[in-house]
Amino acid sequence: WNGSAFAPYQAVGTHGAHDWAYFSLDGHSFLALANHLSAHYDIDSAVYRWDGAAFALLQAIPTHGAWDWEFFRIASGSSSSS
């Protein structure tokens, strides 16, 4: 924000990005990017972590035509049985 309009802060390269999702975990801020398009839809999507100055790549995740991100938590101490 420059006082009258939003100003660019950081550019992130994408490939047909379809969704961004913000989440926080243990006091850290993250952005997840769903890349959708490449020649065969097989393309890495990514999770970025705020490092205090910018969002830095934390992990590339192989995806096939990713469309959406959803954040969820698994309760600690939970278990499942069959």
Side-chain angles (χ1 to χ4, degrees), residues 1-61:
W1 186 255
N2 66 14
S4 61
F6 286 103
Y9 184 80
Q10 177 179 356
V12 176
T14 67
H15 299 279
H18 201 271
D19 188 47
W20 286 94
Y22 168 83
F23 61 98
S24 62
L25 185 62
D26 295 331
H28 300 283
S29 296
F30 299 88
L31 282 176
L33 163 67
N35 275 318
H36 179 73
L37 189 59
S38 71
H40 302 285
Y41 295 97
D42 292 321
I43 188 164
D44 286 350
S45 291
V47 176
Y48 296 86
R49 180 178 175 178
W50 181 252
D51 67 9
F55 281 97
L57 180 64
L58 175 68
Q59 183 176 2
I61 302 168

